[in-house]
Amino acid sequence: MVIVFSFWGIGYQFFNGETKQALVRNFELWKGKEPFSYSYKIDSGCMLVMSSNVLVVDGVAFYEHVNEHNFEITIDDIFKKALKGVTQAASIELKYHPNYFFPSSVKVDWNRDIYDDECFYSVSNFKVIE
């Protein structure tokens, strides 16, 4: 039994390490390609879903909240939240934008034994403004 859990721990650390390396590498790629001005829609939630349309102009983010909340998150913030999930969550699923490498979808289950502790972040309608 101990041997099984030992291999599980080693496998978890291996896959967790690969996920973290990919996240760090994609953050560097994002920072290298980040446009001066762009827009996107962010949906996020744990118990409640919050949505905002975001316009970034010369690095300054402006938010239009779709529903009543004051939650404001940037793409850099999504990287931070994903890193926290990689290092602290029971499981995490990441999908990246194919051209700009930011996490376009983050699904986190913080504790496998707790119901309704899952959270998500989703970036859609990403457009570069020239």
Side-chain angles (χ1 to χ4, degrees):
M1 186 76 144
V2 171
I3 293 172
V4 170
F5 284 116
S6 296
F7 284 118
W8 175 83
I10 292 168
Y12 177 77
Q13 291 300 324
F14 176 75
F15 290 115
N16 195 21
E18 282 186 357
T19 303
K20 184 178 179 181
Q21 287 175 351
L23 185 64
V24 169
R25 182 177 55 252
N26 283 345
F27 180 70
E28 292 169 359
L29 291 168
W30 160 249
K31 293 314 281 181
K33 291 188 83 168
E34 182 179 7
F36 288 110
S37 299
Y38 54 95
S39 64
Y40 59 94
K41 180 179 181 191
I42 178 83
D43 296 304
S44 63
C46 291
M47 296 296 282
L48 301 171
V49 176
M50 297 172 277
S51 298
S52 295
N53 294 312
V54 184
L55 173 65
V56 177
V57 179
D58 293 329
V60 178
F62 301 93
Y63 297 88
E64 173 191 23
H65 304 296
V66 176
N67 43 17
E68 302 225 1
H69 66 85
N70 60 357
F71 183 72
E72 297 180 347
I73 185 169
T74 65
I75 289 177
D76 286 359
D77 292 333
I78 295 171
F79 274 102
K80 291 175 190 171
K81 292 181 182 299
L83 182 59
K84 181 178 178 182
V86 167
T87 59
Q88 297 178 14
S91 68
I92 186 167
E93 179 184 317
L94 296 165
K95 294 180 183 174
Y96 296 97
H97 189 277
N99 298 323
Y100 288 94
F101 307 102
F102 60 82
S104 57
S105 175
V106 178
K107 295 179 183 176
V108 180
D109 184 359
W110 292 104
N111 186 322
R112 215 176 298 284
D113 297 327
I114 297 176
Y115 181 71
D116 281 349
D117 72 324
E118 298 84 11
C119 297
F120 77 93
Y121 302 91
S122 176
V123 177
S124 59
N125 299 331
F126 181 83
K127 296 178 183 147
V128 175
I129 300 170
E130 298 187 30

